[in-house]
Amino acid sequence: MNKKTRRFSIIIACFIAFIFQIFVSLELNNRGIRLKEQEILSIANALDHLEGADERGAWLKTHIAQSEDTAFVYVDDRGEILYSDALSSEAQKILRAANTSVRDGKSSKGWILFQKGMLENKYMHWSVYGDGTRMIAAMTHDSMLASTLHYLPYTALTAIIGSLVLYGLLVDRMERYRKDMKYLLYNFKKYVRDPQFRLNLPSDLGEYEDIIVDASTRIRTKIDRLNSQLTGLEDMVENMTEGVVFVGRDRKILSINDAAVKLFNASIYMSYVGKDLMYLCRESDFYAAFSRAFLAKKDEIHKIELEGLIIKFFFDPVFNEEGEFYGMLILMIDETQQTLAERSRREFTSNVTHELKTPLTSISGYAELLRTGMVKEEDENKFLDIIIEESQNLFDLIDAIIAMSRSEEKNRPEAYRSVDMKALIKDIMTTLQPDCDMKHLHVRVQANGDNRLWTHPELMKEVLSNLIDNAIAYNVERGDISIVLDGSDEDEFIVTIQDTGIGISYDDQKRIFERFYMVDKSRSYNQKSTGLGLAIVKHNVESLKGTIDVKSQIHKGTVFTLRFPKTTNVSTQ
């Protein structure tokens, strides 16, 4: 830009200086000619007032000073030279030129250009007086070219000075223009933010400001639309139960929602935006899977266990409009419950198969023996009793499985009602009283406060029946059973069932609610046990939004504590 400016300044300055010199040279040349003309005409007029050739010749001799630029020749009517301030040869040349150039000898006076050259021109003036004498004046003056060449150094100097001045003015103007444009562009973001914003700019920048205002209006509209979409997207992502993490190409976190922080078991009070992904999770399996997907820039799906949670990770690379890799989007879905449920289903199927196989094997074996006819007559009834007993166990097991599978179907809001818990205990004890009498057990029922509870009567009956049945089955001869109903609290109803039985070891207490798990694996205390009773109890208690705790000591007894919320707002979800 500076080279172009310098070149432009030199050309313009030289052009102006040349034009200026032409006018100055022409003016000075014309002024010099006019001065000499006036001098010659004044002499010619002075001679016109004198009489006689002798008087004019004497006046010329006394008043004319010899000059290189002018020459005077005074001749009589015969062409004889009476006076000349030039050399005789020069005077003769002037005379001949006058005779050649002035054809009309009767003209009293006049001017002619009688010799034109490259560097100088010669002019001639003649005056004819009354006595026939003539005064001829020859004037030499520089030509226009000579005048121009004479002032050429001054022209060059003027051009240099002019180009420097012009260059300085242009640079200053361009610098101020550049600063104004830079100032205008620097404040572009203010035009975007405030529709009414304007700068105090020179008039020649008003057109550019209008362009800036128009562009900022379009950008503001797009930004508002994008902000609206981004706000909706952020709200949607933030309210997702799935975790979402967006990692940039430098592996730093650009965005993360609360669900992802919780799934990584990280602190929700810290900000992870701008930090490396390693800062959020250092689990080797996760970071190895992420690194493979990140480096390959391909979609990948991995199921990884993180601190007890089984999380399914979807790694999805993100590319910009030019196809360049921009970052990695990580979607996290907690599949802990699904995985555990699948595992539980497999275990349940395996356990059911095993539990069904045991009585069926026994029934099949004894039936085969009876079929062969090799059994003694006195043993046939014994084998038939065993077959009947195993068949009953099989039916009990099937009933328990069906009861567990239908527990969700039973838990309907319309089935809930206000239940008299003391009456429910009495109804259960009526059914189980024969078993108590066989072991000479002492059962004590104590009710405190309001005995009524808003609950599902059938599910509640299954819970209490199983717990009381276990208290009877695993109790000792002449033992005690205590059932306490506490409805005195405003928020919860507490049921406590305590026995003085064989107790449960600490290790077994952790597993008693698992399906088909039996503390007494020999079934010496409870031959009817299917291993599903406490699993059904746990499931029903959770369906009723309650909790169950167990405390037990070997040979001391067991205490089950049930807590149910006092509310009529029932949710079966």
Side-chain angles (χ1 to χ4, degrees):
M1 185 66 186
N2 287 334
K3 289 183 178 180
K4 293 182 178 180
T5 304
R6 285 195 296 269
R7 191 181 300 118
F8 178 77
S9 302
I10 292 171
I11 292 173
I12 295 299
C14 290
F15 178 77
I16 293 174
F18 179 74
I19 296 299
F20 180 74
Q21 183 200 346
I22 294 297
F23 283 107
V24 170
S25 299
L26 181 61
E27 177 63 25
L28 292 176
N29 188 275
N30 291 335
R31 183 178 295 179
I33 292 174
R34 286 195 297 273
L35 289 174
K36 290 181 178 180
E37 285 179 348
Q38 291 175 0
E39 179 184 356
I40 292 172
L41 289 175
S42 63
I43 293 173
N45 292 330
L47 292 177
D48 194 31
H49 291 86
L50 299 177
E51 295 182 1
D54 294 335
E55 189 176 352
R56 294 189 184 95
W59 190 89
L60 288 171
K61 290 179 181 179
T62 57
H63 290 83
I64 298 301
Q66 193 171 5
S67 172
E68 295 180 357
D69 296 333
T70 57
F72 292 91
V73 177
Y74 181 60
V75 297
D76 57 13
D77 54 351
R78 296 186 304 273
E80 296 268 343
I81 297 175
L82 301 177
Y83 171 80
S84 174
D85 61 353
L87 297 176
S88 58
S89 59
E90 185 67 23
Q92 290 295 329
K93 187 187 294 184
I94 292 172
L95 185 58
R96 286 197 300 272
N99 292 332
T100 303
S101 301
V102 183
R103 301 297 182 185
D104 187 8
K106 296 182 178 180
S107 298
S108 60
K109 60 179 65 176
W111 284 95
I112 62 170
L113 173 63
F114 75 93
Q115 186 176 343
K116 188 175 184 180
M118 290 287 293
L119 299 179
E120 63 180 13
N121 295 324
K122 291 186 178 181
Y123 301 89
M124 182 181 296
H125 178 270
W126 74 93
S127 296
V128 179
Y129 301 104
D131 56 359
T133 59
R134 290 180 297 165
M135 195 277 294
I136 302 168
M139 178 181 66
T140 303
H141 197 77
D142 290 340
S143 66
M144 190 65 191
L145 177 61
S147 298
T148 302
L149 294 175
H150 177 74
Y151 294 105
L152 187 60
Y154 303 102
T155 303
L157 180 61
T158 303
I160 293 172
I161 296 174
S163 63
L164 291 176
V165 173
L166 183 61
Y167 175 74
L169 293 174
L170 289 175
V171 169
D172 178 68
R173 174 58 182 151
M174 291 175 65
E175 183 66 21
R176 284 190 285 110
Y177 189 82
R178 188 184 67 83
K179 287 182 179 179
D180 291 339
M181 285 297 296
K182 185 177 180 181
Y183 182 62
L184 177 62
L185 295 176
Y186 179 78
N187 287 277
F188 179 74
K189 56 185 179 182
K190 295 182 179 179
Y191 284 95
V192 175
R193 286 199 301 262
D194 184 7
Q196 306 301 324
F197 179 78
R198 295 293 184 275
L199 291 173
N200 187 15
L201 296 171
S203 57
D204 55 347
L205 291 178
E207 180 181 355
Y208 296 102
E209 186 178 32
D210 293 339
I211 296 174
I212 292 291
V213 170
D214 183 60
S216 64
T217 301
R218 293 196 301 271
I219 292 175
R220 190 185 313 109
T221 302
K222 291 181 180 179
I223 289 176
D224 292 341
R225 188 183 306 116
L226 290 174
N227 283 335
S228 177
Q229 295 174 354
L230 183 61
T231 300
L233 181 61
E234 287 178 346
D235 291 341
M236 181 185 70
V237 171
E238 195 59 39
N239 291 311
M240 287 174 62
T241 56
E242 296 82 4
V244 179
V245 184
F246 185 62
V247 181
R249 67 181 70 182
D250 56 355
R251 300 198 179 197
K252 296 195 181 299
I253 299 172
L254 299 179
S255 178
I256 183 171
N257 65 351
D258 290 342
V261 175
K262 293 175 182 177
L263 289 175
F264 278 118
N265 197 24
S267 174
I268 61 174
Y269 300 104
M270 295 184 63
S271 175
Y272 298 96
V273 176
K275 293 183 172 60
D276 193 276
L277 188 61
M278 282 282 287
Y279 188 82
L280 179 64
C281 180
R282 297 180 180 273
E283 178 65 36
S284 58
D285 292 342
F286 162 74
Y287 205 77
F290 167 76
S291 297
R292 285 195 300 271
F294 189 88
L295 294 175
K297 299 179 178 60
K298 292 183 179 179
D299 299 342
E300 291 193 14
I301 301 175
H302 295 274
K303 189 178 287 188
I304 301 171
E305 185 172 350
L306 295 179
E307 300 185 9
L309 296 178
I310 300 171
I311 301 174
K312 194 171 186 179
F313 288 91
F314 295 83
F315 299 102
D316 188 12
V318 178
F319 301 90
N320 60 20
E321 294 180 354
E322 288 75 25
E324 298 176 349
F325 180 65
Y326 188 71
M328 181 70 71
L329 182 67
I330 305 173
L331 178 64
M332 307 167 60
I333 299 178
D334 184 3
E335 292 194 346
T336 305
Q337 295 299 326
Q338 297 92 316
T339 304
L340 294 178
E342 181 64 29
R343 186 183 303 168
S344 178
R345 280 192 294 270
R346 289 196 299 268
E347 292 177 355
F348 180 75
T349 303
S350 176
N351 290 333
V352 167
T353 302
H354 174 75
E355 293 296 330
L356 290 175
K357 186 177 180 181
T358 301
L360 286 173
T361 301
S362 179
I363 292 170
S364 177
Y366 285 110
E368 286 292 333
L369 285 174
L370 291 172
R371 183 179 182 183
T372 61
M374 298 175 61
V375 180
K376 296 179 181 180
E377 187 175 347
E378 60 269 20
D379 291 334
E380 287 183 0
N381 290 332
K382 179 182 177 181
F383 286 177
L384 289 172
D385 289 339
I386 293 174
I387 291 174
I388 293 172
E389 183 180 352
E390 291 295 339
S391 298
Q392 187 59 47
N393 290 338
L394 188 59
F395 283 126
D396 292 341
L397 179 59
I398 293 172
D399 288 340
I401 294 172
I402 293 174
M404 178 170 284
S405 64
R406 290 181 176 176
S407 60
E408 287 296 337
E409 298 177 6
K410 296 178 183 178
N411 190 22
R412 297 190 302 270
E414 60 268 19
Y416 279 69
R417 59 180 56 88
S418 180
V419 177
D420 187 337
M421 295 295 287
K422 189 173 182 179
L424 182 60
I425 293 293
K426 184 178 179 180
D427 183 44
I428 294 171
M429 287 307 301
T430 300
T431 304
L432 299 177
Q433 189 63 44
D435 295 331
C436 291
D437 295 340
M438 288 179 62
K439 299 182 76 170
H440 306 289
L441 300 177
H442 177 258
V443 180
R444 182 174 63 90
V445 179
Q446 179 183 344
N448 301 325
D450 187 6
N451 295 325
R452 305 196 67 82
L453 176 65
W454 185 268
T455 186
H456 192 293
E458 189 173 346
L459 296 180
M460 181 62 73
K461 186 175 182 178
E462 285 183 354
V463 170
L464 298 177
S465 296
N466 274 289
L467 291 177
I468 296 173
D469 185 52
N470 283 349
I472 296 171
Y474 296 102
N475 215 325
V476 296
E477 288 285 339
R478 301 186 183 278
D480 295 324
I481 298 175
S482 174
I483 303 172
V484 179
L485 304 174
D486 187 0
S488 59
D489 192 275
E490 293 183 0
D491 298 323
E492 60 183 7
F493 192 96
I494 303 173
V495 180
T496 304
I497 301 174
Q498 182 176 0
D499 65 62
T500 57
I502 62 174
I504 307 171
S505 69
Y506 179 76
D507 292 334
D508 287 332
Q509 289 179 37
K510 299 177 182 178
R511 302 189 60 188
I512 59 174
F513 295 110
E514 295 179 11
R515 295 169 180 174
F516 299 107
Y517 185 80
M518 288 183 287
V519 176
D520 178 24
K521 296 179 174 54
S522 64
R523 302 187 183 182
S524 59
Y525 283 90
N526 188 2
Q527 295 180 351
K528 298 184 297 181
S529 176
T530 62
L532 291 174
L534 289 179
I536 293 174
V537 168
K538 178 73 170 178
H539 186 273
N540 286 1
V541 168
E542 290 178 348
S543 297
L544 296 172
K545 307 303 180 184
T547 61
I548 181 169
D549 296 318
V550 59
K551 292 181 181 179
S552 185
Q553 190 174 356
I554 296 295
H555 306 305
K556 296 291 185 181
T558 303
V559 180
F560 285 94
T561 304
L562 307 171
R563 299 175 184 274
F564 299 100
K566 283 185 173 182
T567 177
T568 58
N569 184 16
V570 179
S571 173
T572 61
Q573 301 299 318

